[in-house]
Amino acid sequence: MGQITEMIHVASLIHDDVLDDADMRRGGAAVHALYTNKVAILAGDYLLARASILLARLQHFQVVEIMAAALDALVQGEIMQAKSKKEELSNMEHYLRKSYFKTSSLICSSCKCAALLCGFDENHSLTKAAEEYGYHLGMAFQIIDDILDFSGASASLGKPAQADMVLGLATAPILFASEDHKELIPLIQRRFKENGDVGKAVALASRTDCVEKSYALAEFHANRAIDALMRFPASEPRDALLKVVHVAITRDK
Ligand code: FPP
Ligand code: MG
């Protein structure tokens, strides 16, 4: 299940870098920059095809259905991001829903499937706990990713700084800042398209506690993930999953 999830995840990032026109990934050249868009699309498709074969080989109908729905959610998340209406762009709830679709749904579904493959049924409290763990871990991970992009820590992420805003996207820090500085809303709604919009938005936001608020939101999700995890009996794998939450929330790259 982990291998399948990783293959889907990598496929989605190879395609994402084409969509986002991002030439760097984790300090190295993105696949499309190293080769071409055609190679990147085919590489992603190939990984997805191989992941589908492995998924079918698990011979668990419910798991196949859940993971197929997770793929659907990933694409829906990207469509939500690309097609957001003006009012949605500046709406925190819409941002969180999109984050669930594009990031958290895959982790959440994969954790749920791991429980099903262990023999627990869908309504078992541990299946629910596994699903909740994945949901909150995914949300915490994406919010931290967005904070790092915003705060310019992106150099150590191997990605250009404020890439989200350059792409026209407002994430948690800017959305929190817009609660204090309403003048940010028109900039968000026009996707930072006018000259100087990105610089103006960063300057306004840096006078607020938007980064602290975003960290608090990520920590809320991290704590909920830990609560869910603690419903499992103590074990080495549980310790490892706890470490994953810790890494997701404390990473600076
Ligand atoms: C990264 O977000 C992107 C995702 C988490 C999902 C991408 C999904 C697709 C492109 C749909 C196609 C799916 C498959 C399986 C081929 P980001 O751009 O905010 O993060 P980044 O800064 O790391 O690029
Ligand atoms: Mg991207």
Side-chain angles (χ1 to χ4, degrees), residues 48-245:
L48 201 52
R50 299 299 302 190
S52 307
I53 294 172
L54 294 175
L55 187 60
R57 265 190 210 148
L58 292 176
Q59 301 212 354
H60 195 302
F61 174 71
Q62 212 180 352
V63 165
V64 173
E65 194 174 356
I66 292 166
M67 292 309 289
L71 278 174
D72 181 43
L74 271 186
V75 180
Q76 276 196 51
E78 281 297 305
I79 294 172
M80 272 175 93
Q81 186 160 289
K83 292 266 173 208
S84 304
K85 295 193 191 83
K86 255 172 71 176
E87 305 69 40
E88 290 171 338
L89 285 168
S90 53
N91 182 295
M92 179 67 88
E93 242 177 74
H94 183 265
Y95 158 77
L96 293 172
R97 211 168 327 118
K98 177 196 78 181
S99 300
Y100 164 71
F101 277 103
K102 79 168 201 184
T103 306
S104 176
S105 61
L106 179 62
I107 308 178
C108 166
S109 305
S110 155
C111 290
K112 179 177 179 178
C113 289
L116 293 173
L117 288 164
C118 283
F120 297 112
D121 71 31
E122 199 165 16
N123 296 316
H124 194 285
S125 60
L126 290 182
T127 308
K128 300 264 179 226
E131 193 176 0
E132 252 176 69
Y133 168 81
Y135 169 77
H136 290 292
L137 171 66
M139 294 301 288
F141 180 87
Q142 186 60 50
I143 295 163
I144 296 288
D145 207 58
D146 295 339
I147 296 172
L148 294 174
D149 179 282
F150 170 78
S151 57
S154 319
S156 52
L157 275 171
K159 302 192 270 200
Q162 280 118 31
D164 290 334
M165 271 193 268
V166 173
L167 280 173
L169 303 172
T171 59
I174 280 289
L175 294 173
F176 276 124
S178 72
E179 289 172 3
D180 294 331
H181 288 285
K182 299 283 178 222
E183 60 268 45
L184 275 169
I185 294 174
L187 276 69
I188 296 171
Q189 295 192 343
R190 64 176 182 245
R191 291 182 176 264
F192 311 103
K193 280 293 172 281
E194 281 183 21
N195 247 351
D197 273 359
V198 171
K200 208 159 127 195
V202 173
L204 275 171
S206 58
R207 282 192 250 133
T208 71
D209 56 357
C210 67
V211 170
E212 288 77 3
K213 281 181 178 160
S214 304
Y215 268 114
L217 181 61
E219 274 157 24
F220 164 80
H221 284 291
N223 287 330
R224 295 289 303 271
I226 294 169
D227 288 347
L229 192 59
M230 289 306 129
R231 285 184 236 144
F232 285 90
S235 67
E236 222 176 287
R238 192 181 79 166
D239 291 345
L241 290 170
L242 190 61
K243 243 184 230 161
V244 171
V245 180

Side-chain angles (χ1 to χ4, degrees), residues 16-17 20 25:
D16 179 69
D17 286 337
D20 288 353
R25 169 73 58 187

